[in-house]
C-alpha cells in the first residue's frame, strides 16, 4: 500500500492545460479542477499503474489543492493517490468477512456474485489523507482539535467548491464514493475529503479527512476520522425516528452522527 500523506506522484498529476478554479486568501492558494470522467485510454493507464480494476466512475483529472507559496506548504487530493491506498492484497480479514456476508445475502438474486468479490478491497475503501507537495513542511502528531466554534460563525463564504474523485455502485448493491469540498472564509478555510460506503444489508462506513487553516496564525490542522457500523443497526436507529429510511441511507451527512468512531488522528503544522 502506498504511503499516506506523502509526496505528489507527478506522473499521475492532472495536466496543467485546465487551470480550474482558484482563489488566493492571505497567502494561501486554493485550486479545484472538475473535468469529465476518464475515457478508455486513460483508464487503461490508470489500471496498469494501480494494479487493480478501477471503480466504475473515475474522475482522474479532478483535484483539490491548498498551497502556501512563502513556506512551500502544499497538499492536494487526487484520484490516483487515493486509489493507491486501497488494499490490493485481499488479505484483510475484516474485508473478507464483509465480502462473504454480502455474498451470502445476495447469492439467490445474483448468480456468479463471486466475480464481483475481487482479490482486493472491492469497496475501494481508502484512508487517504492527501498528498504533500515536494519540500512541504511535514505534519506532526498533535492533540489540538479543529476549532469547531470558529467554523460555526456566520462568516461570509469567499469560495466554495465540491469535487468528485471516484464512485462505484458495487454491482447495484450499495455505493462507494470519494469526494472533496472546501469553503474559504475571510480568516480561515476548511477542506473535507470524505469516503462514504454503503453496502446494503451489511455495513456503512465513513472516513473523513479535514484540513483546517487559520490565516492569521498560519496553523494548519489535519484530522482523520474513521467511522463504521452494521447496516441493520443504523437502519433501526433511523426507523425509530420515523424518517424516510431509504432516503436517509443515501446521504452520508444524515448518517455521520449514527456511526461510532473506530479510528482518529490529529496532526498540525505552522507556516510562516
Amino acid at each position: 500500500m502506498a504511503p499516506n500523506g506523502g509526496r505528489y506522484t507527478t506522473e499521475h498529476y492532472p495536466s496543467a492545460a485546465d487551470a480550474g478554479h482558484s482563489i488566493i486568501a492571505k497567502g494561501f492558494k486554493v485550486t479545484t479542477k472538475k473535468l469529465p470522467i476518464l475515457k478508455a485510454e486513460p483508464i487503461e493507464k490508470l489500471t496498469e499503474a494501480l494494479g487493480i480494476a478501477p471503480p466504475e466512475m473515475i474522475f482522474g483529472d479532478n483535484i483539490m489543492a491548498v498551497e502556501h507559496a512563502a513556506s512551500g506548504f502544499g497538499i492536494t487530493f487526487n484520484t490516483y493517490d487515493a486509489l493507491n491506498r486501497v488494499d490490493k492484497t485481499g488479505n484483510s480479514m475484516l474485508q473478507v468477512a464483509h465480502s462473504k456476508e454480502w455474498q451470502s445475502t445476495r447469492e439467490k438474486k445474483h448468480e456468479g456474485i463471486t466475480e464481483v468479490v475481487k482479490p482486493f478491497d472491492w469497496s475501494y475503501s481508502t484512508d487517504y489523507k492527501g498528498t504533500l507537495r515536494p519540500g512541504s513542511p511535514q505534519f506532526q502528531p498533535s492533540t489540538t482539535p479543529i476549532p469547531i466554534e470558529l467554523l460555526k460563525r456566520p462568516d461570509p463564504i469567499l469560495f466554495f467548491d465540491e469535487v468528485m474523485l471516484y464512485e462505484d455502485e458495487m454491482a447495484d448493491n450499495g455505493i462507494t464514493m470519494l469526494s472533496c469540498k472546501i469553503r474559504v472564509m475571510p480568516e480561515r478555510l476548511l477542506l473535507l475529503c470524505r469516503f462514504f460506503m454503503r453496502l446494503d444489508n451489511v455495513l456503512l462506513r465513513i472516513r473523513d479527512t479535514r484540513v483546517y487553516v487559520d490565516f492569521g496564525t498560519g496553523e494548519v490542522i489535519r484530522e482523520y476520522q474513521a467511522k463504521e457500523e452494521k447496516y441493520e443497526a443504523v437502519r433501526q436507529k433511523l426507523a425509530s425516528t420515523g424518517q424516510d429510511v431509504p432516503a436517509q441511507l443515501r446521504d452520508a451527512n444524515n448518517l455521520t452522527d449514527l456511526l461510532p468512531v473506530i479510528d482518529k488522528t490529529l496532526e498540525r503544522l505552522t507556516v510562516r
Side-chain angles (χ1 to χ4, degrees):
M1 186 177 289
N4 200 0
R7 306 298 187 182
Y8 281 114
T9 51
T10 52
E11 65 271 29
H12 300 288
Y13 198 72
S15 168
D18 181 88
H21 303 282
S22 65
I23 183 175
I24 297 177
K26 304 291 182 68
F28 286 87
K29 182 179 181 180
V30 172
T31 303
T32 62
K33 292 184 182 181
K34 293 192 287 188
L35 295 172
I37 294 174
L38 289 185
K39 297 185 182 298
E41 185 176 349
I43 289 177
E44 289 179 5
K45 292 181 179 179
L46 184 70
T47 301
E48 182 178 355
L50 288 171
I52 60 174
E56 295 169 330
M57 290 174 278
I58 316 166
F59 299 86
D61 291 327
N62 288 2
I63 66 163
M64 183 170 286
V66 178
E67 299 171 290
H68 186 259
S71 67
F73 169 75
I75 187 169
T76 186
F77 291 81
N78 67 80
T79 305
Y80 174 82
D81 287 345
L83 285 171
N84 210 25
R85 292 290 303 171
V86 171
D87 173 30
K88 302 175 185 179
T89 68
N91 292 329
S92 170
M93 294 305 293
L94 183 63
Q95 295 300 329
V96 170
H98 289 154
S99 302
K100 290 179 178 178
E101 184 176 351
W102 177 59
Q103 181 179 339
S104 68
T105 63
R106 298 296 178 176
E107 60 186 1
K108 294 182 180 179
K109 295 183 179 180
H110 301 277
E111 293 183 3
I113 198 70
T114 52
E115 295 181 1
V116 177
V117 184
K118 307 291 185 180
F120 64 88
D121 183 359
W122 45 271
S123 74
Y124 298 102
S125 294
T126 181
D127 61 354
Y128 184 50
K129 300 176 183 177
T131 308
L132 293 177
R133 68 180 298 176
S136 174
Q138 300 294 302
F139 283 101
Q140 301 298 326
S142 173
T143 58
T144 303
I146 292 175
I148 301 300
E149 292 305 315
L150 292 180
L151 293 169
K152 290 181 179 179
R153 293 180 178 181
D155 295 330
I157 305 298
L158 305 179
F159 180 88
F160 175 84
D161 207 354
E162 188 165 6
V163 172
M164 181 66 68
L165 296 182
Y166 64 80
E167 183 175 343
D168 192 283
E169 294 184 350
M170 304 175 76
D172 295 325
N173 289 284
I175 189 74
T176 184
M177 59 193 296
L178 182 70
S179 61
C180 300
K181 60 182 179 181
I182 192 167
R183 58 185 170 112
V184 181
M185 290 76 72
E187 300 299 329
R188 57 192 59 86
L189 70 78
L190 181 67
L191 182 156
L192 169 64
C193 182
R194 169 167 286 174
F195 171 80
F196 171 54
M197 184 203 74
R198 187 195 76 246
L199 183 54
D200 292 340
N201 298 320
V202 180
L203 188 73
L204 289 156
R205 173 177 288 157
I206 295 175
R207 293 177 176 176
D208 289 341
T209 295
R210 290 179 171 85
V211 177
Y212 168 84
V213 177
D214 187 301
F215 299 146
T217 65
E219 183 178 45
V220 183
I221 300 174
R222 179 167 66 177
E223 176 193 88
Y224 171 77
Q225 191 173 84
K227 299 180 176 182
E228 63 181 59
E229 180 60 286
K230 291 183 178 180
Y231 181 96
E232 182 60 19
V234 177
R235 190 199 66 78
Q236 290 181 11
K237 290 178 183 178
L238 291 172
S240 67
T241 65
Q243 301 181 69
D244 182 344
V245 175
Q248 296 294 311
L249 287 170
R250 288 193 291 268
D251 189 347
N253 293 323
N254 301 326
L255 303 173
T256 184
D257 291 337
L258 301 179
L259 277 58
V261 176
I262 62 169
D263 187 24
K264 182 176 181 177
T265 60
L266 277 168
E267 301 169 289
R268 70 181 294 275
L269 59 83
T270 302
V271 302
R272 304 295 183 189

